[in-house]
Amino acid sequence: MLPGCGSSGSSSTTPSNVAVSVEPGSASLFLGQTRQFQATVTGATDQSVRWMVNNVPQGNGSVGTITASGLYTAPVDLPSPASVTVVAVSNANSQASASAGVNLMDDTVVSVSPGTVSLATGGAQVFTAGVTGTGNPDSAVTWSVNGIAGGNTTVGTIAANGANTAVYTAPATPPSPATVIVRATSVADAAKFGSASVTITCSSANTIAPSAVSLALGQTQSFAATFCLAPGTAITWDVNGTAGGSAVVGTIVTASANMALYTAPADLPSTDPVTIHATGTLAAGGTATASAMVTVTGTVSVSVSPGSATVSVSQRKSFTANVASTSDTAVRWTVNGVPNGSTVVGQVCLSGSNPCAAPAGPASGSVDFLAPAAVPATNPVTLVATSRADASKSGNAIVAISGPAGPLSVEISPPYAFVARSTGTLSTRQFFASVTGTSNQSVTWGVQSGVAGQGCQGAACGSVDANGLYAAPAAAPSPNAISIVATSQADPTKSATGTIAVTSGPLIDLILPSSVLAGAVISFPLTVQGMNFVAGSGSNASVILLNGMARGTSCPAATSCSTALNPSDVQTAGTIIVQVQNPGAPESLSNPVPFVIAPFVATEDVISLSVGQPAATGKDIVVVEPTTAAASAAINVDFIGLLTGGNNCGVQGSPLSVTRPSAGTATVRICVHGNGLDPTFTYAFTGPGGGDIGIAASPVTGVFPNTIELDLQIASTTLPGVRTLFITTLNHDRAAATGMLEVK
């Protein structure tokens, strides 16, 4: 007999003469009640059975559960259909089974108290539901208003706040009709419910809350209005009589039927406090207005960075106004009280303007301070930034004007730039020159090829005017590098050079890596990024030149080309000039970019700081890019774990704890997973007693890919503490995984 097909006292016999019977053969139970069933097995020495309800082993919460001894417990919620089948299956022969039908009943009654309530608009009432019934039915209920689960803003909302209690909140305006039905529906039987009626009445007051508040610039405040509105009407809001407000007095927007959100202006208003009005059409006729006062306060703070500086005569220095506690970060600048300064005390200039152009009004961000041509009688001068949002708040910087000092030198900015080629309209880029060691700031501007003996000549290099404004040529030269030269008129032997590349030709913007330690032992990729390369490989595509020699190159896109650097290329410290050459007649060269090979220094230094000596000086720190800089994934560690039972890697969080032996040494096998790991690399743990843990690396198979084995020699003398794992590749690249191991 198949499971689930039995009847009262039924049994089943199989070819092996095993039969099962269940008593009683049927039962009727209320929700949550229990009934003991008894199974009898004949034809086998094994009398045990396994029980199922509706083919679910031991049943579940939906159809009821049954124990191994046959005690069935009805569910607390009425299923559909309201009958289930209890089945006993012989453990001696799974083809032998018997079943009994169970009819599930409930006489659940739901009540709600209080049963009748009168509630003002916006008011709240707690309702309690009572659930009774034979057995142990589910006592939970769901709440609705006028048949809407949880209600809504029209009929009011209801939300449970306890096992059988809920809070009903009346709507802001009476619904139509004004009486709503709050219903609690049994979870045990959705056909059973209790209800209460709520009549919504108007609140007599026409008010707005809060009635008075202080608010900082740009901050927000919600306001709630209480009106007995006519059906279908809405509350309108204004600030100082302007519907919705304005940027000057603040804005207000409707958030719900009776609420609005006011946002204070970014600048202090001329009329303070401001008045918020809420106006509504009353159900009884006519209109009503409620008002609230908002005092807008300024918590603005202004600072100027740097707070002090020394600027040589006729030199520039950038200053930044930092404005807090307002979205309006604009400031007005003065020097010794003079708006935007003067040629006597120094001038405030728009950043990058040449000649100096003063801000037309309040402005955000940074400005240039241009020192006067001579030291002023009042020195230092005071540079002040005053907030537009709150004119009572300002910050200042003290600027000392110094005369010519030291040897004459010239600087140019930017030192490197890109510019589009000129077409019908000139394409330009502004350069600036500063001269120190003299009050004569005049320079002579010139332009020439960026690579001696190659590239452009004359007008093909573009032009630069007397103010340093460079105009690009119609086509990029080859090589694509143009020098902009600023020569001091006070000392023509002193000059500075900036380099610019035209974006219509091949152009290198970035190389990865841009530097490496000398002595690499394995090849690594060099990637050149830029624009206007010819994608592909071979003679019809761009090729990378190293010191003028073509290398095997692949260009997957017009913005990227790659080649390989071999150990022989980087054995000794020096510089390799990298260029990209495009095919054509003639071939075109990009701007040259240096690839730096830094000397490999194996020694390490330690910077020790203390309370008495919190700073260290005279320490040169050289950082080069790893040879993996051009790869898609850098060397790193994902996780660490113990290696046990052959090659079983236990994934554990860091730090991984190991315990020192009481005497002698012990070997701890661990597995390390990450990107680019190789057993040929050098691995070391630092921390307390650095170097007191021996490490042997080896490959490991049968576990996660990219996993290696580290055999640690832990001694009784190994100091306790948390260690960092350092990884050094064959090319001297280093990576660190912090807090990987803890010795206990």
Side-chain angles (χ1 to χ4, degrees):
M1 180 176 294
L2 296 176
C5 298
S7 61
S8 175
S10 63
S11 63
S12 174
T13 303
T14 67
S16 61
N17 295 320
V18 177
V20 182
S21 63
V22 173
E23 292 295 337
S26 64
S28 293
L29 297 176
F30 284 97
L31 298 176
Q33 284 187 325
T34 62
R35 176 61 57 90
Q36 180 67 52
F37 287 92
Q38 183 67 42
T40 302
V41 180
T42 60
T45 57
D46 185 354
Q47 296 292 301
S48 64
V49 296
R50 61 182 184 275
W51 294 91
M52 296 189 294
V53 184
N54 280 12
N55 291 327
V56 178
Q58 296 183 322
N60 56 32
S62 297
V63 296
T65 60
I66 190 165
T67 67
S69 62
L71 181 63
Y72 171 76
T73 302
V76 296
D77 298 332
L78 193 66
S80 179
S83 61
V84 299
T85 302
V86 174
V87 179
V89 181
S90 169
N91 285 326
N93 189 333
S94 62
Q95 299 301 311
S97 63
S99 62
V102 180
N103 180 43
L104 299 173
M105 309 175 295
D106 86 283
D107 55 359
T108 303
V109 176
V110 183
S111 62
V112 176
S113 63
T116 304
V117 175
S118 179
L119 203 60
T121 53
Q125 174 67 48
V126 176
F127 287 95
T128 302
V131 180
T132 60
T134 304
N136 184 29
D138 192 340
S139 62
V141 297
T142 60
W143 295 90
S144 62
V145 184
N146 280 9
I148 303 170
N152 58 26
T153 57
T154 301
V155 297
T157 60
I158 191 163
N161 71 335
N164 286 85
T165 60
V167 177
Y168 169 78
T169 303
T173 58
S176 181
T179 299
V180 298
I181 302 300
V182 172
R183 175 176 292 179
T185 301
S186 170
V187 173
D189 185 350
K192 308 298 176 58
F193 58 85
S195 60
S197 63
V198 183
T199 301
I200 313 301
T201 61
C202 281
S203 173
S204 59
N206 300 314
T207 61
I208 184 172
S211 59
V213 68
S214 292
L215 207 59
L217 293 174
Q219 299 302 299
T220 59
Q221 173 68 47
S222 61
F223 289 90
T226 303
F227 290 106
C228 188
L229 296 177
T233 64
I235 298 173
T236 59
W237 299 83
D238 71 70
V239 185
N240 281 8
T242 302
S246 68
V248 175
V249 296
T251 59
I252 192 164
V253 295
T254 299
S256 64
N258 69 325
M259 297 189 68
L261 188 67
Y262 170 77
T263 302
D267 302 342
L268 285 176
S270 57
T271 301
D272 194 21
V274 299
T275 304
I276 292 176
H277 299 103
T279 304
T281 302
L282 301 179
T287 60
T289 299
S291 62
M293 305 297 289
V294 179
T295 301
V296 182
T297 61
T299 59
V300 175
S301 64
V302 184
S303 63
V304 177
S305 58
S308 62
T310 299
V311 183
S312 299
V313 291
S314 301
Q315 298 302 297
R316 289 178 181 245
K317 176 69 177 178
S318 178
F319 289 86
T320 302
N322 307 298
V323 184
S325 300
T326 177
S327 59
D328 185 357
T329 58
V331 296
R332 294 177 174 86
W333 293 92
T334 60
V335 183
N336 282 8
V338 179
N340 292 326
S342 68
T343 56
V344 175
V345 295
Q347 303 174 71
V348 176
C349 315
L350 293 173
S351 293
S353 62
N354 187 23
C356 174
S364 300
S366 300
V367 295
D368 289 344
F369 173 79
L370 175 60
V375 176
T378 301
N379 191 33
V381 299
T382 303
L383 176 66
V384 177
T386 302
S387 169
R388 177 172 64 182
D390 185 351
S392 67
K393 305 297 171 59
S394 62
N396 65 73
I398 304 301
V399 184
I401 312 300
S402 63
L408 187 148
S409 64
V410 183
E411 292 185 1
I412 192 171
S413 63
Y416 201 91
F418 303 107
V419 67
R421 67 186 182 90
S422 293
T423 54
T425 303
L426 288 179
S427 178
T428 62
R429 181 62 189 263
Q430 181 68 57
F431 284 84
F432 301 96
S434 60
V435 184
T436 58
T438 177
S439 60
N440 185 357
Q441 294 296 297
S442 300
V443 297
T444 301
W445 293 91
V447 62
Q448 63 190 35
S449 173
V451 181
Q454 302 181 56
C456 59
Q457 291 183 351
C461 296
S463 62
V464 62
D465 66 14
N467 294 317
L469 184 65
Y470 171 76
S478 177
N480 189 2
I482 301 168
S483 293
I484 312 300
V485 182
T487 303
S488 169
Q489 293 185 4
D491 182 356
T493 65
K494 301 296 191 300
S495 64
T497 301
T499 302
I500 196 166
V502 181
T503 58
S504 61
L507 184 150
I508 297 177
D509 179 45
L510 177 70
I511 60 173
L512 292 172
S514 61
S515 59
V516 69
L517 290 173
V521 299
I522 58 175
S523 299
F524 57 91
L526 173 70
T527 296
V528 176
Q529 297 179 359
M531 59 191 303
N532 301 325
F533 304 156
V534 179
S537 60
S539 60
N540 294 323
S542 294
V543 64
I544 294 176
L545 304 183
L546 301 182
N547 286 340
M549 301 299 294
R551 300 294 289 262
T553 304
S554 174
C555 298
T559 57
S560 178
C561 293
S562 297
T563 188
L565 285 180
N566 301 317
S568 59
D569 297 321
V570 295
Q571 284 304 298
T572 58
T575 300
I576 298 176
I577 300 301
V578 180
Q579 287 180 283
V580 171
Q581 179 177 278
N582 281 359
E587 297 166 328
S588 55
L589 285 171
S590 73
N591 51 310
V593 177
F595 176 84
V596 177
I597 306 169
F600 174 65
V601 180
T603 59
E604 294 184 355
D605 194 7
V606 176
I607 299 176
S608 298
L609 304 178
S610 64
V611 176
Q613 187 177 358
T617 59
K619 301 289 186 179
D620 292 332
I621 300 176
V622 177
V623 179
V624 298
E625 291 185 78
T627 55
T628 57
S632 59
I635 300 171
N636 71 344
V637 173
D638 294 333
F639 63 79
I640 187 171
L642 292 174
L643 198 60
T644 59
N647 287 339
N648 295 322
C649 181
V651 179
Q652 296 175 244
S654 58
L656 177 67
S657 295
V658 297
T659 303
R660 296 173 295 169
S662 58
T665 62
T667 300
V668 178
R669 300 174 65 227
I670 67 172
C671 49
V672 180
H673 178 271
N675 290 324
L677 302 183
D678 192 285
T680 62
F681 295 168
T682 300
Y683 299 87
F685 281 108
T686 62
D692 58 353
I693 298 178
I695 301 178
S698 60
V700 60
T701 59
V703 293
F704 305 102
N706 303 317
T707 304
I708 63 167
E709 175 181 347
L710 297 182
D711 294 337
L712 311 183
Q713 296 297 316
I714 308 294
S716 59
T717 57
T718 300
L719 293 180
V722 177
R723 309 298 183 97
T724 293
L725 176 61
F726 277 92
I727 305 169
T728 305
T729 73
L730 298 176
N731 282 356
H732 314 304
D733 301 324
R734 301 192 77 186
T738 304
M740 287 289 103
L741 187 73
E742 181 178 13
V743 179
K744 293 185 175 181

